[in-house]
Amino acid sequence: MKIWIVLLLVLSAPGYAQTLDVMSFNVRYPSPNDGPNVWENRRDILVETIRLKDPDLMGTQELFYLQGQYIVEKLPEYTWFGVSRRGDHENEHMGVFYKRSKLRLVESGEFWLSETPDTPASMSWDVSLPRMVTWGLFEMIETSRRFYFYNTHFPHRRQDHAARVECAKVIADRMRALPTDLPFIMTGDFNAPAREEVYKVLVPPLGDAWIETEVKSGPETTSSRWSGNTEGRRIDWLLYRGDIKVLEAETVTHNLDGRYPSDHYPVFAKVQIE
């Protein structure tokens, strides 16, 4: 009995920290034009990649509803939420997956990266597709500590540079309205290189998990190109602010005999939330 009392006092004491494994994963939508890399050929490798890293929380990009359902069918410890960029379930989602054993979803929603963020499927700055953020307010079951989570995917075309800057500004404005005493984590495919203009709208005030930890593995590029590529830009980021320490970061290159789960590598970080 005394051991349980001591444990309870430790867990409830101010400053008790809990670790959280977070992943960002552009899963590549199920295009019939992907040849040998069509969804049916790689879906089990994708599930195995998630199982290997075992994230508590994962933000996905390019996720179709059928892909989300397949993931939770094979990995029932997860649940997921989100709508598509058109406000329904008929297109790409910024689906957010989390373990019910580790996290409780308190609130969730979405906003669009446009001049009218609260209008579903809205577009601005001559982008070709609606872009959005799916967000959640989570409570960590072990410590009752709460944090906000954003997951996003920026415009992809070369000519969309100015639009990507504007998208980052929309997110920065929304972040400023969040309570500053709650930690914040964001995952996404930003379609822009780290350390350049789009990135600098967000970093600082946010920290970059890849930069802020001394323990990292994998290539800096996040583009697998289906081939194990190790050259190129880091366009998938895991960003944060608040009482968070990054313990390690990884660009995950798991594959099966040269078959990769996506044309992006997932990005993983182990963080400690105070």
Side-chain angles (χ1 to χ4, degrees):
M1 179 64 74
K2 289 182 179 180
I3 294 175
W4 285 109
I5 292 173
V6 171
L7 180 59
L8 180 61
L9 289 173
V10 170
L11 292 178
S12 60
Y16 176 74
Q18 181 177 343
T19 60
L20 189 71
D21 291 346
V22 185
M23 181 179 280
S24 182
F25 203 163
N26 182 322
V27 301
R28 174 65 178 179
Y29 70 97
S31 171
N33 300 317
D34 279 343
N37 298 305
V38 293
W39 169 244
E40 291 76 13
N41 288 353
R42 60 187 174 87
R43 61 188 181 183
D44 291 327
I45 305 170
L46 187 141
V47 167
E48 182 58 32
T49 302
I50 298 169
R51 182 182 288 116
L52 174 70
K53 298 312 300 180
D54 197 28
D56 304 310
L57 177 62
M58 179 174 69
T60 64
Q61 304 86 38
E62 295 194 24
L63 182 87
F64 269 57
Y65 186 77
L66 67 89
Q67 293 174 299
Q69 294 302 96
Y70 190 81
I71 291 169
V72 295
E73 174 189 335
K74 298 298 181 179
L75 300 172
E77 63 268 35
Y78 293 97
T79 189
W80 76 282
F81 65 91
V83 300
S84 86
R85 59 189 171 195
R86 302 199 185 277
D88 52 26
H89 288 299
E90 301 302 320
N91 206 266
E92 296 176 22
H93 298 62
M94 304 304 105
V96 175
F97 294 74
Y98 66 97
K99 287 185 178 178
R100 293 181 297 273
S101 62
K102 295 290 189 72
L103 297 169
R104 183 173 72 86
L105 183 62
V106 180
E107 296 178 39
S108 65
E110 53 279 324
F111 60 87
W112 274 260
L113 301 177
S114 73
E115 293 172 329
T116 54
D118 295 315
T119 302
S122 57
M123 295 189 290
S124 301
W125 315 301
D126 297 319
V127 297
S128 59
L129 294 165
R131 299 292 176 169
M132 65 181 296
V133 168
T134 295
W135 64 268
L137 172 62
F138 286 97
E139 182 174 273
M140 304 177 79
I141 290 173
E142 188 175 310
T143 62
S144 298
R145 185 69 159 117
R146 292 185 174 189
F147 66 92
Y148 277 96
F149 179 71
Y150 280 11
N151 178 53
T152 192
H153 188 189
F154 279 16
H156 67 288
R157 299 177 304 172
R158 185 182 299 274
Q159 63 264 39
D160 289 332
H161 173 73
R164 287 188 284 271
V165 172
E166 295 301 323
C167 290
K169 290 178 180 178
V170 172
I171 290 176
D173 286 343
R174 290 279 172 144
M175 285 187 337
R176 280 191 283 270
L178 296 178
T180 57
D181 61 328
L182 293 186
F184 173 88
I185 299 172
M186 178 162 61
T187 56
D189 171 3
F190 295 86
N191 276 310
R195 303 182 180 89
E196 295 189 7
E197 187 178 2
V198 176
Y199 179 87
K200 290 178 180 178
V201 176
L202 299 167
V203 182
L206 300 180
D208 179 344
W210 182 262
I211 297 297
E212 297 299 329
T213 184
E214 295 181 359
V215 181
K216 64 186 73 172
S217 57
E220 182 155 351
T221 183
T222 56
S223 176
S224 79
R225 300 178 188 168
W226 304 116
S227 65
N229 170 62
T230 59
E231 302 294 331
R233 309 176 303 167
R234 181 165 63 91
I235 63 173
D236 301 86
W237 315 332
L238 199 157
L239 309 178
Y240 68 96
R241 76 176 183 194
D243 294 329
I244 295 176
K245 179 180 180 181
V246 183
L247 304 178
E248 62 181 83
E250 180 182 357
T251 305
V252 182
T253 59
H254 180 68
N255 66 91
L256 180 63
D257 298 327
R259 173 89 63 215
Y260 286 81
S262 173
D263 59 345
H264 286 242
Y265 296 122
V267 174
F268 173 88
K270 182 181 292 291
V271 304
Q272 182 174 282
I273 300 182
E274 303 253 337

